[in-house]
Amino acid sequence: MFSQALMVSLRILAFRAGPQDFPYSPQLTQVIAPLAVAANYLVFSQVLPVAMSLAMALTAVAGIALVTRGLLRARQVEARFNQTLNALLATTTLLTLLLIPTFAQLAPKLQELAQNPGLMNNPEVLQLPQGAAFLMNLLNVWNFAVTTSIFRQAANARLGLGLLFAVCAALSVAFLVIVSGSFAAVLFGPHPPPAVGP
């Protein structure tokens, strides 16, 4: 079943299959979901603390599941949830794994920018690796296009509505991820030393 899921995922990434072709299996979700969390964590942890990275990775996967269920329920095709969620998580995980080495080239510059926002006014000093930045954008666009295709087919929607679903899903998940990261920073971030009284 795992080899079948991988082959279907590759075909979905090539726009030659859809979520309906993905094997139905709740047990498969128990494998794909942790892999998706791990892939997201490996990206976030390159620029963020461990607690924030883990919280954001967990929220990203949970957010995809929540938004997918909501959209399919609104379209009255909730029975397609398992295959749709597995297709989304599997394809996103594969593209995220491709993103990790690319993001690693950008991470030091992003950390430098976070510590010194003034570098935005001096782009010649910042000097982001152009090839890595282009590849990261390409992977993100590819991921968005695949997500649109999956939602369109799962919800029996036209391309425009599929695009709308993908945009709503991306914005909703991004919001949840930012909120969870902020909570994790407050809960697990460095605490100031206690004040010493006279």
Side-chain angles (χ1 to χ4, degrees), residues 9 12-13 32 35-36 39-40 43 60-61 64 85-99 139 143-144 146-147 150:
S9 298
I12 293 174
L13 287 172
I32 295 175
L35 289 175
N40 280 285
V43 172
V61 174
I64 291 172
L85 177 63
N86 284 344
L88 286 168
L89 292 181
T91 53
T92 300
T93 298
L94 290 173
L95 291 176
T96 302
L97 291 174
L98 291 176
L99 182 66
L139 288 170
N143 191 21
F144 181 79
V146 170
T147 300
I150 290 172

Short mmCIF file of all heavy atoms in Angstrom, two decimals, residues 9 12-13 32 35-36 39-40 43 60-61 64 85-99 139 143-144 146-147 150:
data_model
loop_
_atom_site.label_atom_id
_atom_site.label_comp_id
_atom_site.label_asym_id
_atom_site.label_seq_id
_atom_site.Cartn_x
_atom_site.Cartn_y
_atom_site.Cartn_z
N SER A 9 1.17 9.52 -5.45
CA SER A 9 1.63 10.87 -5.08
C SER A 9 2.46 11.48 -6.20
O SER A 9 2.30 12.66 -6.54
CB SER A 9 2.45 10.81 -3.79
OG SER A 9 1.68 10.34 -2.71
N ILE A 12 0.19 12.49 -8.96
CA ILE A 12 -0.54 13.72 -8.62
C ILE A 12 0.37 14.93 -8.80
O ILE A 12 -0.05 15.97 -9.30
CB ILE A 12 -1.09 13.65 -7.17
CG1 ILE A 12 -2.19 12.58 -7.07
CG2 ILE A 12 -1.64 15.00 -6.73
CD1 ILE A 12 -2.69 12.33 -5.66
N LEU A 13 1.63 14.79 -8.38
CA LEU A 13 2.59 15.89 -8.55
C LEU A 13 2.81 16.22 -10.02
O LEU A 13 3.14 17.37 -10.36
CB LEU A 13 3.93 15.52 -7.89
CG LEU A 13 3.95 15.54 -6.37
CD1 LEU A 13 5.26 14.96 -5.84
CD2 LEU A 13 3.73 16.95 -5.83
N ILE A 32 1.50 8.90 7.18
CA ILE A 32 1.77 10.10 6.39
C ILE A 32 1.78 11.35 7.26
O ILE A 32 2.64 12.23 7.09
CB ILE A 32 0.73 10.24 5.26
CG1 ILE A 32 0.88 9.08 4.26
CG2 ILE A 32 0.90 11.57 4.53
CD1 ILE A 32 -0.16 9.06 3.18
N LEU A 35 5.03 11.90 9.09
CA LEU A 35 6.05 12.26 8.12
C LEU A 35 5.92 13.72 7.69
O LEU A 35 6.92 14.43 7.52
CB LEU A 35 5.96 11.35 6.89
CG LEU A 35 6.40 9.90 7.08
CD1 LEU A 35 6.14 9.09 5.81
CD2 LEU A 35 7.88 9.82 7.45
N ALA A 36 4.68 14.17 7.54
CA ALA A 36 4.43 15.57 7.18
C ALA A 36 4.89 16.50 8.30
O ALA A 36 5.49 17.55 8.05
CB ALA A 36 2.95 15.79 6.88
N ALA A 39 8.73 16.61 8.22
CA ALA A 39 9.25 17.41 7.11
C ALA A 39 9.12 18.90 7.39
O ALA A 39 10.06 19.68 7.16
CB ALA A 39 8.51 17.04 5.82
N ASN A 40 7.97 19.31 7.92
CA ASN A 40 7.77 20.72 8.26
C ASN A 40 8.72 21.15 9.37
O ASN A 40 9.29 22.24 9.34
CB ASN A 40 6.32 20.97 8.68
CG ASN A 40 5.39 21.12 7.49
OD1 ASN A 40 5.38 22.13 6.82
ND2 ASN A 40 4.61 20.08 7.23
N VAL A 43 12.18 22.00 8.21
CA VAL A 43 12.27 23.32 7.59
C VAL A 43 12.28 24.41 8.66
O VAL A 43 13.18 25.25 8.72
CB VAL A 43 11.13 23.56 6.60
CG1 VAL A 43 11.13 25.00 6.09
CG2 VAL A 43 11.24 22.61 5.41
N ALA A 60 0.58 22.97 11.29
CA ALA A 60 0.46 22.96 9.83
C ALA A 60 -0.32 21.73 9.36
O ALA A 60 -1.23 21.84 8.52
CB ALA A 60 1.84 22.99 9.18
N VAL A 61 0.00 20.57 9.91
CA VAL A 61 -0.67 19.33 9.52
C VAL A 61 -2.11 19.32 10.02
O VAL A 61 -3.04 18.98 9.28
CB VAL A 61 0.11 18.11 10.02
CG1 VAL A 61 -0.66 16.82 9.75
CG2 VAL A 61 1.49 18.05 9.35
N ILE A 64 -4.22 21.70 7.92
CA ILE A 64 -4.61 21.14 6.62
C ILE A 64 -5.80 20.19 6.79
O ILE A 64 -6.75 20.22 6.00
CB ILE A 64 -3.42 20.41 5.97
CG1 ILE A 64 -2.34 21.41 5.55
CG2 ILE A 64 -3.87 19.58 4.77
CD1 ILE A 64 -1.05 20.78 5.07
N LEU A 85 -7.12 14.17 2.20
CA LEU A 85 -6.12 14.56 3.19
C LEU A 85 -4.80 13.83 2.94
O LEU A 85 -3.72 14.45 2.97
CB LEU A 85 -6.62 14.25 4.61
CG LEU A 85 -5.62 14.54 5.73
CD1 LEU A 85 -5.28 16.03 5.77
CD2 LEU A 85 -6.16 14.08 7.08
N ASN A 86 -4.87 12.53 2.70
CA ASN A 86 -3.64 11.77 2.45
C ASN A 86 -2.92 12.27 1.20
O ASN A 86 -1.68 12.36 1.18
CB ASN A 86 -3.95 10.29 2.32
CG ASN A 86 -4.22 9.64 3.66
OD1 ASN A 86 -3.91 10.20 4.70
ND2 ASN A 86 -4.82 8.46 3.65
N ALA A 87 -3.68 12.61 0.17
CA ALA A 87 -3.07 13.13 -1.06
C ALA A 87 -2.39 14.47 -0.79
O ALA A 87 -1.26 14.71 -1.26
CB ALA A 87 -4.12 13.28 -2.15
N LEU A 88 -3.05 15.34 -0.05
CA LEU A 88 -2.47 16.64 0.28
C LEU A 88 -1.20 16.49 1.11
O LEU A 88 -0.17 17.11 0.82
CB LEU A 88 -3.48 17.50 1.04
CG LEU A 88 -4.64 18.09 0.22
CD1 LEU A 88 -5.71 18.65 1.15
CD2 LEU A 88 -4.12 19.18 -0.71
N LEU A 89 -1.28 15.66 2.15
CA LEU A 89 -0.12 15.50 3.04
C LEU A 89 1.04 14.82 2.33
O LEU A 89 2.20 15.22 2.50
CB LEU A 89 -0.52 14.70 4.29
CG LEU A 89 -1.48 15.38 5.25
CD1 LEU A 89 -1.77 14.47 6.45
CD2 LEU A 89 -0.94 16.72 5.73
N ALA A 90 0.75 13.80 1.53
CA ALA A 90 1.82 13.07 0.85
C ALA A 90 2.54 13.96 -0.16
O ALA A 90 3.78 14.00 -0.19
CB ALA A 90 1.25 11.83 0.17
N THR A 91 1.79 14.67 -0.98
CA THR A 91 2.43 15.52 -2.00
C THR A 91 3.16 16.69 -1.35
O THR A 91 4.28 17.03 -1.77
CB THR A 91 1.39 16.04 -3.01
OG1 THR A 91 0.30 16.67 -2.31
CG2 THR A 91 0.82 14.91 -3.84
N THR A 92 2.55 17.29 -0.34
CA THR A 92 3.20 18.40 0.35
C THR A 92 4.48 17.94 1.03
O THR A 92 5.50 18.65 1.02
CB THR A 92 2.25 19.03 1.39
OG1 THR A 92 1.08 19.52 0.71
CG2 THR A 92 2.91 20.19 2.11
N THR A 93 4.45 16.75 1.61
CA THR A 93 5.65 16.22 2.28
C THR A 93 6.78 16.00 1.28
O THR A 93 7.94 16.35 1.55
CB THR A 93 5.32 14.89 3.00
OG1 THR A 93 4.34 15.16 4.01
CG2 THR A 93 6.55 14.29 3.65
N LEU A 94 6.48 15.44 0.13
CA LEU A 94 7.51 15.21 -0.88
C LEU A 94 8.14 16.53 -1.35
O LEU A 94 9.37 16.65 -1.48
CB LEU A 94 6.93 14.45 -2.07
CG LEU A 94 6.56 12.99 -1.81
CD1 LEU A 94 5.82 12.40 -3.01
CD2 LEU A 94 7.80 12.16 -1.48
N LEU A 95 7.31 17.55 -1.57
CA LEU A 95 7.84 18.84 -2.00
C LEU A 95 8.59 19.53 -0.87
O LEU A 95 9.59 20.22 -1.12
CB LEU A 95 6.70 19.73 -2.51
CG LEU A 95 6.06 19.27 -3.83
CD1 LEU A 95 4.89 20.16 -4.20
CD2 LEU A 95 7.09 19.25 -4.94
N THR A 96 8.14 19.34 0.36
CA THR A 96 8.85 19.93 1.51
C THR A 96 10.22 19.30 1.68
O THR A 96 11.20 19.98 2.01
CB THR A 96 8.01 19.77 2.80
OG1 THR A 96 6.73 20.40 2.61
CG2 THR A 96 8.71 20.42 3.99
N LEU A 97 10.31 17.99 1.46
CA LEU A 97 11.61 17.32 1.53
C LEU A 97 12.57 17.87 0.48
O LEU A 97 13.78 18.02 0.73
CB LEU A 97 11.44 15.81 1.37
CG LEU A 97 10.74 15.09 2.54
CD1 LEU A 97 10.50 13.63 2.18
CD2 LEU A 97 11.58 15.19 3.82
N LEU A 98 12.05 18.20 -0.70
CA LEU A 98 12.88 18.84 -1.72
C LEU A 98 13.29 20.24 -1.31
O LEU A 98 14.36 20.74 -1.70
CB LEU A 98 12.12 18.91 -3.06
CG LEU A 98 11.86 17.59 -3.78
CD1 LEU A 98 11.03 17.83 -5.03
CD2 LEU A 98 13.17 16.90 -4.15
N LEU A 99 12.44 20.88 -0.51
CA LEU A 99 12.69 22.26 -0.09
C LEU A 99 13.79 22.37 0.97
O LEU A 99 14.48 23.39 1.04
CB LEU A 99 11.39 22.85 0.45
CG LEU A 99 11.39 24.30 0.92
CD1 LEU A 99 11.63 25.24 -0.25
CD2 LEU A 99 10.08 24.64 1.61
N LEU A 139 9.20 25.67 -6.02
CA LEU A 139 8.59 24.58 -5.26
C LEU A 139 7.30 25.03 -4.59
O LEU A 139 6.32 24.27 -4.53
CB LEU A 139 9.57 24.06 -4.21
CG LEU A 139 10.77 23.26 -4.75
CD1 LEU A 139 11.80 23.01 -3.66
CD2 LEU A 139 10.30 21.94 -5.36
N ASN A 143 3.67 23.48 -5.32
CA ASN A 143 2.84 22.98 -4.22
C ASN A 143 1.45 23.59 -4.27
O ASN A 143 0.45 22.89 -4.09
CB ASN A 143 3.52 23.28 -2.88
CG ASN A 143 2.87 22.55 -1.73
OD1 ASN A 143 2.18 21.55 -1.91
ND2 ASN A 143 3.08 23.05 -0.53
N PHE A 144 1.38 24.89 -4.54
CA PHE A 144 0.08 25.56 -4.60
C PHE A 144 -0.74 25.03 -5.77
O PHE A 144 -1.95 24.81 -5.64
CB PHE A 144 0.28 27.07 -4.74
CG PHE A 144 -1.01 27.84 -4.80
CD1 PHE A 144 -1.73 28.11 -3.65
CD2 PHE A 144 -1.52 28.27 -6.02
CE1 PHE A 144 -2.93 28.80 -3.70
CE2 PHE A 144 -2.71 28.96 -6.08
CZ PHE A 144 -3.42 29.23 -4.91
N VAL A 146 -0.54 22.05 -7.15
CA VAL A 146 -0.98 20.69 -6.82
C VAL A 146 -2.14 20.73 -5.83
O VAL A 146 -3.12 19.98 -5.98
CB VAL A 146 0.20 19.87 -6.26
CG1 VAL A 146 -0.28 18.54 -5.69
CG2 VAL A 146 1.23 19.61 -7.35
N THR A 147 -2.05 21.60 -4.84
CA THR A 147 -3.13 21.75 -3.86
C THR A 147 -4.42 22.18 -4.55
O THR A 147 -5.50 21.65 -4.25
CB THR A 147 -2.74 22.78 -2.78
OG1 THR A 147 -1.57 22.33 -2.11
CG2 THR A 147 -3.86 22.95 -1.76
N ILE A 150 -5.87 19.19 -6.36
CA ILE A 150 -6.47 18.21 -5.43
C ILE A 150 -7.82 18.70 -4.94
O ILE A 150 -8.81 17.95 -4.96
CB ILE A 150 -5.51 17.94 -4.26
CG1 ILE A 150 -4.29 17.15 -4.74
CG2 ILE A 150 -6.23 17.16 -3.14
CD1 ILE A 150 -3.20 16.99 -3.70
#
